[in-house]
Amino acid sequence: MRVLVTGHQGYLGTVMVPILQAAGHDVVGLDSGLFAECILGPAPVDPPGLAVDLRDVTVDQLRGFDAVIHLAALSNDPLGALAPEITYDVNHHASVRLAKLAKDAGVARFLYASTCSVYGSAGEELVTESAPLRPLTPYAESKVRVEDDVAAIADSGFTPVFLRNATAFGFSPRLRADIVLNNLVGHAVLTGDVRVLSDGTPWRPLVHAQDIAAAFATCLTAPVDKINCVAFNVGTEKNNLTVAQIAEAVVDAVPNSKLLITGESGADPRSYRVDFSAMRNALGFEAQWTIPEGAVELYKEYTSAGLSSDDFFKRFTRLPHLEKLKAAGILDETMRRINTSSGE
Ligand SMILES: NC(=O)c1ccc[n+]([C@@H]2O[C@H](COP(=O)([O-])OP(=O)(O)OC[C@H]3O[C@@H](n4cnc5c(N)ncnc54)[C@H](O)[C@@H]3O)[C@@H](O)[C@H]2O)c1
């Protein structure tokens, strides 16, 4: 299939593109390159891509694709809290616009990267896709709005599917340090402490970036009647752990590290345990990576690449990196690139 992947130069996109290519797909990217230079280790080989802001996409740029995988977003709760209107503009309005243009261009499938954080605070019970959505942040709210608005334009020729990914973990050449396992391992490698700022009790289901890529690859070729307008949780029940349990896996993976649960950030209301059976039953999809395996992988990659504190806390952490690009005059207040041409 000929597939357009938005956000192909992000953390997940950089892992997903080679997996789609290996499955035989012809991949083109679209990204404004906010994190294009945030690379740890050898540089990845990007597919041909459009250097375009999502808010400026045209219908002509979407013609000739069989599917769009839509990853591009401002993907960060703290950023969403600081600038909710920009988060809604990019994550909600531009995403719905993209879906409508894709439909107009004759694209048959639209695979959307949603999130399990749409469940917000859900207690101890396993939540299925039909559980009430209680988004607690503008980021999560923007994802709910896209699911609703894009489902409304589905028809026999346009099949949207909503992949509600658990929080990702694992190595990507375009690393993110602001997601829990990646963060805890990095902290442990750099300081010796596995530092949990909450009280450690929130449930936080995790899924490896490679498993997310495999889930999207599965939906690309799945029978239309099994995916049309369906929301799937993406992950595995074996990775439904509390933050404290995740931290213990990090202590086991990083030699001589010790656990510190400081509780300084107070209670974290974002807590949910997730049922992943729908995708398993409908499509036979099973996420493979466990959290201990991911912790060991990250430890090896961080140490072999010589991860530095500066990289970890600034370059690979979404908010400080974007602030730096703004201060340097590369991005404007709306996270739009200044003086960039559209298209490459
Ligand atoms: N990483 C996770 O834990 C996780 C979990 C669930 C869902 N998701 C979703 O998966 C998707 C990808 O996440 P990620 O971790 O790779 O995020 P990321 O921040 O690493 O990558 C996002 C990419 O989108 C691009 N982008 C942002 N705004 C853009 C714009 N206006 N125009 C064009 N490109 C733009 C960025 O340049 C970046 O390359 C997001 O939609 C995110 O919400 C991620």
Side-chain angles (χ1 to χ4, degrees):
M1 288 170 95
R2 188 163 158 76
V3 183
L4 181 75
V5 177
T6 74
H8 73 290
Q9 292 176 309
Y11 167 70
L12 292 181
T14 303
V15 171
M16 189 178 297
V17 166
I19 289 175
L20 298 178
Q21 289 170 327
H25 300 294
D26 176 11
V27 179
V28 175
L30 186 154
D31 201 304
S32 61
L34 300 179
F35 311 106
E37 312 308 323
C38 298
I39 292 169
L40 185 68
V45 179
D46 287 335
L50 301 167
V52 170
D53 193 291
L54 192 60
R55 291 163 283 190
D56 302 329
V57 175
T58 65
V59 68
D60 285 338
Q61 289 167 329
L62 303 176
R63 290 193 205 284
F65 290 102
D66 302 300
V68 169
I69 291 182
H70 180 35
L71 307 177
L74 294 173
S75 171
N76 186 284
D77 279 333
L79 174 69
L82 269 186
E85 68 291 350
I86 305 170
T87 292
Y88 287 123
D89 197 29
V90 173
N91 292 11
H92 177 217
H93 299 127
S95 295
V96 175
R97 181 174 168 277
L98 175 77
K100 287 181 175 162
L101 291 176
K103 183 178 173 182
D104 291 346
V107 174
R109 287 183 194 220
F110 188 84
L111 278 52
Y112 177 60
S114 187
T115 165
C116 285
S117 66
V118 295
Y119 301 118
S121 180
E124 297 289 312
E125 293 300 306
L126 288 181
V127 289
T128 67
E129 290 80 354
S130 56
L133 305 186
R134 299 194 185 97
L136 296 172
T137 61
Y139 165 73
E141 173 67 33
S142 72
K143 297 280 172 181
V144 174
R145 292 186 190 179
V146 175
E147 287 195 19
D148 287 346
D149 292 352
V150 174
I153 63 166
D155 66 17
S156 57
F158 182 72
T159 300
V161 53
F162 310 106
L163 289 97
R164 292 182 184 160
N165 302 292
T167 298
F169 68 88
F171 178 70
S172 164
R174 289 201 177 87
L175 188 69
R176 277 188 69 168
D178 55 4
I179 38 184
V180 60
L181 187 67
N182 296 9
N183 185 272
L184 293 175
V185 176
H187 224 281
V189 167
L190 293 167
T191 70
D193 290 340
V194 181
R195 200 178 170 81
V196 175
L197 304 182
S198 73
D199 64 3
T201 60
W203 292 101
R204 196 56 50 80
L206 302 188
V207 62
H208 197 285
Q210 289 176 20
D211 282 323
I212 292 179
F216 277 82
T218 299
C219 287
L220 268 186
T221 53
V224 166
D225 62 320
K226 296 210 167 164
I227 61 165
N228 195 8
C229 256
V230 178
F232 288 117
N233 295 331
V234 177
T236 167
E237 288 80 359
K238 60 186 174 217
N239 292 345
N240 272 328
L241 297 188
T242 65
V243 174
Q245 289 170 325
I246 295 167
E248 280 157 20
V250 177
V251 172
D252 291 343
V254 179
N256 304 320
S257 62
K258 62 177 190 306
L259 181 56
L260 266 183
I261 298 189
T262 71
E264 66 198 69
S265 66
D268 183 345
R270 297 169 304 163
S271 181
Y272 39 88
R273 299 177 69 219
V274 177
D275 181 316
F276 296 100
S277 62
M279 196 169 182
R280 187 161 53 235
N281 295 339
L283 306 177
F285 174 77
E286 196 82 60
Q288 301 298 321
W289 281 78
T290 65
I291 291 169
E293 288 166 349
V296 169
E297 180 208 31
L298 287 164
Y299 170 70
K300 286 183 181 157
E301 294 287 351
Y302 288 175
T303 47
S304 72
L307 180 72
S308 73
S309 288
D310 218 43
D311 277 350
F312 187 70
F313 293 109
K314 296 188 184 147
R315 214 152 67 93
F316 298 130
T317 302
R318 291 291 172 253
L319 195 47
H321 178 73
L322 292 176
E323 294 296 351
K324 194 174 135 201
L325 295 185
K326 277 205 291 185
I330 294 168
L331 294 182
D332 70 13
E333 284 303 311
T334 69
M335 305 294 168
R336 199 185 276 278
R337 276 185 175 268
I338 297 167
N339 294 332
T340 49
S341 60
S342 57
E344 66 180 37

